[in-house]
Amino acid sequence: MTVVQAALSGVLLGGLYALMAAGVSVTWGVLRIINLTHFGLMLLSAYLTFDLATVWGMDPLLTVLVTVPVMFVLGGALQWAYDTLRVSELNSLLLSFGLLIIVVQTVSNRWSADFQRMPLDVNPYATGSVPVGQFAFPTPTLIAFGVAVFLIAGAHLVLRRTFIGRALRAYAQDRAVAATFGVDHRRVGVLLAAVAGATAAVAGMLYSLINALTPATAYEWFGIVFAVVILGGVGHLIGTLAAGVVVGLTSAVVSVVLSPAAAPLVLFTLIVLALLVRPTGLFAVRTSR
Amino acid sequence: MRVRAALAAATVATVLLGLVTACEKKSGNDGATPVASGEPIVVGSTLSLSGAFAATGIIHKIAGELFVEKLNASGGLLGRPVRWVVRDDESDQAKVSTLYEQLISQDKVDLIIGPYATPNILSAMAVAARHRYLLPQHTAVIAPLLTYECQFPAWSIGPTPNEFVPNQLFDAVASLPTPPKKIAILTNQNGSTDFVSYGSANAKGGAVTVAPQRGLEVVLEKRYPPNTSDWSSLAAQVRDAKPDLLFNSGIAVDPVNLLQAMAQLNYKPPMMFSLFPAPGPPLGLGPAAEGLMSVSIFEPNKSTLDKLGAKAAQIVQDFETRATTAKLPYTVFETQAAASWNAWEILVASVKGAGKIDHQAMCDFLHRSGAETTFSGKLTFEPKQNNFWPTTQLIKQIQNGNWVTVWPRDRAAAQLRGPAT
């Protein structure tokens, strides 16, 4: 029973991991930008959620009405800047890391370095759960999982079934050929990065439902997010969701069967082994590059 | 004519200004407090103002600034003003070494005081030992590791904290009408917390070995990494182990994450202890955190402040004002701030005792005469125990949404509460 409960919780937490990783994966896979500033947008969204809920009295879930448009604009503006400055894939790593440091310091100056956590009276979701038989589905991760499935499946369908999606995929595969077919790379790139920014807003809100915030939180996300991105296949959205679930499930089960201290060791060993077998990611159907 | 009038007006204004200044000086000083003058004494240190330890580093910064301001207002040190140069070590112990080396070798600061967090303090101690500088330090409590004879701890859990902490807690819960019989031990693999559960090569033993010696059945024992993000699996294991007491050798928001994950499973352990939690976040959990226990060297409970007097109460109030201005979510002057205050008082006592800035003389003075502190009383430093003084540590508990000291009884502000029935 302990293992099953832990596995259920792990799968649901995997949804949050996937949502956090989706924006990084798609901008890396399609736009060839390794956007570490995405972590800053998530952090900023989490703190804005905190403020909107504790100071303005908004329901934390409804704060996305404010944060999504803001991060949509910021995400698009960043991509416009990257594109205008002709930032290469490697340079994007350095530049976006610098921007992340600026965001972290700004957050630190505005909200202090101390822990900020929404109290229960403004965040009633934190300790809630949905009981099903002997098991409990924690409310915040259940919401995170549902939102992740909805957004990632939706984005996958858009990429597969719409003109803009086909344009983006064509752009990802060969920029020059896509341009000869009339794909305006700047416009579609900005749009894609803006949508990725919007997912950062949702991920930040969901993270703040569960966790205390400190500015340094952004750096703690690196390991798990990049594990999910790489395992899922860079730019592969459904793969990202599957990888998030695998990471969450593996960590939870290893924590119970062996020890929580063994979870990172087992998880990252499995990831290394998986990448030796499938270098483009365990869930990548084909390379997106 | 106009020039003469202007000169007269200027003369009158100057005289008036001089009179007003003299009056202000007199009324502010009353002639009793000497005014610090001359070249400032420079104290150098680092603090973690960014990175993983920043949440607590900022508390030490506010406490230190307040202390220096009050020190200067009361005549400074050796009649000279004190200036504190504090650098951000970014929670990186490699940077701590570099910055302390710079402070001593290049900036030639007169005195140093420790950074925050055990790993950083160990780095600073190595530099201090090389230069033979006296090092008062705020929060490193792993006595066996702190071997430099001129480091002086401001928070002491005695020479063997790995035995003292569990024994003190087990003494406290044994006093309850229905003492716990089964215990679950969850340990963060951070240096200090792991030490309290498991000890080290030089100091064997800890909560894991003390518990069975005290007749407690260990029904669950797990270690978890410092960056744990999945608390649900730990919560499920605790729930299914059914302990009477959960001993969380944890840090920062670990107990909050655990309590929240357990609440999601509709479970709350009958009793829970957490070693070094951030004090504010558990209070936001409301009833889910009620009864949580931890350690403390000072809580500003009314009965404690009444005993300590007006000076301590004023410090507590001034700190709260500054912490509010700095937008800290939890503004109470408690263990961390009290440890900071102790460290500064140890530094000042050493200089005053030696009568000059001579690090060996200052070190000898502290060994010989100790230091008087506002919040922990008279401290005596025993070199054979790495200067760790007889501990004044207390057990505190959340009662009605506030932290109150509950053990030992003779120094407690309230009575320890057992599990709700």
Side-chain angles (χ1 to χ4, degrees):
Chain A
M1 183 171 162
T2 310
V3 177
V4 178
Q5 177 62 60
L8 280 173
S9 302
V11 166
L12 297 181
L13 187 60
L16 178 61
Y17 295 158
L19 195 57
M20 293 169 81
V24 176
S25 180
V26 82
T27 48
W28 188 359
V30 177
L31 304 177
R32 296 180 195 177
I33 295 290
I34 308 170
N35 189 16
L36 298 183
T37 315
H38 190 81
F39 294 86
L41 298 186
M42 286 194 285
L43 184 75
L44 198 54
S45 303
Y47 272 97
L48 285 173
T49 300
F50 171 83
D51 252 16
L52 290 167
T54 55
V55 180
W56 298 94
M58 280 181 84
D59 184 298
L61 297 182
L62 296 180
T63 57
V64 291
L65 296 174
V66 177
T67 57
V68 163
V70 171
M71 295 305 142
F72 182 90
V73 172
L74 279 177
L78 272 173
Q79 175 56 29
W80 177 83
Y82 289 145
D83 198 53
T84 303
L85 297 170
R86 297 180 188 281
V87 175
S88 68
E89 191 169 346
L90 180 61
N91 286 346
S92 70
L93 190 66
L94 303 174
L95 181 60
S96 64
F97 186 61
L99 289 171
L100 173 61
I101 290 172
I102 291 171
V103 173
V104 168
Q105 193 55 49
T106 305
V107 165
S108 190
N109 292 347
R110 167 64 183 81
W111 282 278
S112 92
D114 205 351
F115 292 102
Q116 302 280 6
R117 187 183 183 97
M118 286 186 281
L120 269 190
D121 54 342
V122 298
N123 176 23
Y125 309 102
T127 54
S129 61
V130 178
V132 178
Q134 291 180 300
F135 302 107
F137 291 74
T139 307
T141 46
L142 187 62
I143 295 170
F145 187 80
V147 170
V149 170
F150 177 76
L151 287 181
I152 290 175
H156 177 75
L157 285 176
V158 168
L159 281 175
R160 291 280 147 194
R161 303 270 172 87
T162 65
F163 173 77
I164 191 86
R166 283 193 289 272
L168 280 166
R169 282 159 49 215
Y171 172 65
Q173 284 172 15
D174 194 316
R175 293 177 178 209
V177 173
T180 60
F181 282 87
V183 175
D184 181 344
H185 72 87
R186 172 167 281 198
R187 193 168 291 177
V188 294
V190 167
L191 180 64
L192 183 71
V195 172
T199 67
V202 179
M205 178 274 289
L206 291 169
Y207 184 87
S208 71
L209 287 186
I210 308 167
N211 298 284
L213 306 172
T214 63
T217 304
Y219 303 122
E220 293 168 11
W221 292 331
F222 280 10
I224 211 88
V225 165
F226 277 104
V228 171
V229 168
I230 293 165
L231 195 63
V234 175
H236 192 268
L237 280 172
I238 296 296
T240 304
L241 181 60
V245 169
V246 166
V247 167
L249 179 66
T250 309
S251 295
V253 172
V254 172
S255 290
V256 175
V257 176
L258 295 175
S259 157
L265 188 72
V266 172
L267 178 66
F268 283 95
T269 305
L270 283 177
I271 288 172
V272 169
L273 290 174
L275 291 179
L276 287 174
V277 180
R278 301 271 316 242
T280 54
L282 208 54
F283 299 98
V285 178
R286 60 187 171 195
T287 57
S288 57
R289 307 279 296 274
Chain B
M1 190 67 186
R2 274 184 188 167
V3 174
R4 194 175 293 172
L7 275 172
T11 308
V12 169
T14 307
V15 169
L16 281 174
L17 188 65
L19 281 171
V20 168
T21 310
C23 287
E24 274 179 354
K25 271 187 182 171
K26 183 150 188 173
S27 62
N29 193 19
D30 261 354
T33 309
V35 178
S37 61
E39 197 68 16
I41 291 173
V42 181
V43 182
S45 84
T46 76
L47 279 175
S48 298
L49 301 176
S50 58
F53 302 136
T56 312
I58 184 72
I59 294 171
H60 291 281
K61 182 164 185 280
I62 293 168
E65 285 171 347
L66 181 62
F67 184 93
V68 172
E69 192 177 301
K70 282 181 181 286
L71 179 67
N72 284 330
S74 61
L77 193 52
L78 303 178
R80 292 162 61 189
V82 171
R83 186 162 65 86
W84 182 27
V85 176
V86 58
R87 304 248 161 89
D88 180 11
D89 57 43
E90 299 170 40
S91 307
D92 178 350
Q93 50 178 314
K95 284 203 172 76
V96 171
S97 301
T98 309
L99 289 170
Y100 271 89
E101 191 63 55
Q102 282 176 2
L103 285 165
I104 294 172
S105 303
Q106 293 174 22
D107 301 346
K108 303 207 183 298
V109 295
D110 301 295
L111 303 166
I112 57 170
I113 193 163
Y116 166 68
T118 302
N120 294 347
I121 290 166
L122 290 170
S123 294
M125 187 181 75
V127 181
R130 194 160 56 244
H131 292 277
R132 305 296 304 166
Y133 263 53
L134 178 126
L135 179 74
Q137 55 88 5
H138 315 78
T139 55
V141 292
I142 309 179
L145 293 181
L146 294 144
T147 51
Y148 173 45
E149 69 272 20
C150 293
Q151 72 77 30
F152 291 89
W155 175 356
S156 173
I157 317 182
T160 51
N162 48 327
E163 291 173 357
F164 181 84
V165 170
N167 273 313
Q168 187 183 37
L169 175 70
F170 299 153
D171 284 344
V173 296
S175 72
L176 291 167
T178 314
K181 292 176 179 161
K182 293 186 287 182
I183 185 171
I185 301 175
L186 301 181
T187 305
N188 187 318
Q189 288 179 303
N190 173 289
S192 304
T193 49
D194 202 73
F195 176 72
V196 167
S197 282
Y198 296 93
S200 65
N202 299 335
K204 295 198 189 306
V208 170
T209 49
V210 172
Q213 287 165 8
R214 298 290 302 258
L216 288 157
E217 181 192 353
V218 180
V219 291
L220 180 73
E221 180 208 331
K222 294 277 179 183
R223 277 168 151 151
Y224 57 88
N227 58 351
T228 292
S229 56
D230 174 19
W231 296 91
S232 303
S233 57
L234 277 168
Q237 291 175 81
V238 175
R239 181 193 63 180
D240 295 348
K242 299 186 178 66
D244 301 319
L245 170 65
L246 170 57
F247 184 101
N248 171 223
S249 198
I251 196 164
V253 286
D254 290 1
V256 181
N257 290 327
L258 269 170
L259 282 164
Q260 179 177 288
M262 290 188 290
Q264 288 168 352
L265 302 179
N266 299 311
Y267 171 75
K268 185 182 172 188
M271 299 194 82
M272 180 170 167
F273 167 86
S274 190
L275 186 57
F276 298 133
L283 302 179
L285 276 181
E290 189 69 13
L292 177 69
M293 294 173 285
S294 185
V295 298
S296 175
I297 61 168
F298 175 76
E299 296 297 317
N301 301 143
K302 187 178 180 307
S303 58
T304 312
L305 285 178
D306 287 347
K307 276 183 207 161
L308 291 176
K311 183 188 165 197
Q314 188 62 51
I315 293 166
V316 167
Q317 193 183 324
D318 290 347
F319 178 89
E320 189 168 330
T321 305
R322 283 166 188 244
T324 304
T325 307
K327 299 188 188 111
L328 261 58
Y330 187 69
T331 56
V332 176
F333 184 101
E334 48 85 69
T335 292
Q336 292 289 340
S340 202
W341 208 266
N342 281 356
W344 281 97
E345 287 184 324
I346 292 168
L347 183 68
V348 167
S350 72
V351 175
K352 284 183 175 171
K356 57 187 174 181
I357 295 173
D358 175 330
H359 287 266
Q360 191 55 53
M362 289 153 51
C363 184
D364 291 342
F365 173 81
L366 288 177
H367 283 145
R368 197 169 57 246
S369 306
E372 199 66 53
T373 64
T374 307
F375 297 100
S376 298
K378 175 73 184 274
L379 310 181
T380 54
F381 303 106
E382 171 54 63
K384 285 180 186 161
Q385 294 183 341
N386 293 343
N387 295 334
F388 278 80
W389 31 280
T391 182
T392 55
Q393 186 162 282
L394 304 143
I395 300 286
K396 64 179 178 179
Q397 185 177 40
I398 298 179
Q399 294 185 0
N400 304 322
N402 289 304
W403 287 107
V404 289
T405 54
V406 292
W407 192 264
R409 277 197 187 115
D410 60 332
R411 290 187 289 126
Q415 193 172 355
L416 174 67
R417 290 181 187 169
T421 50

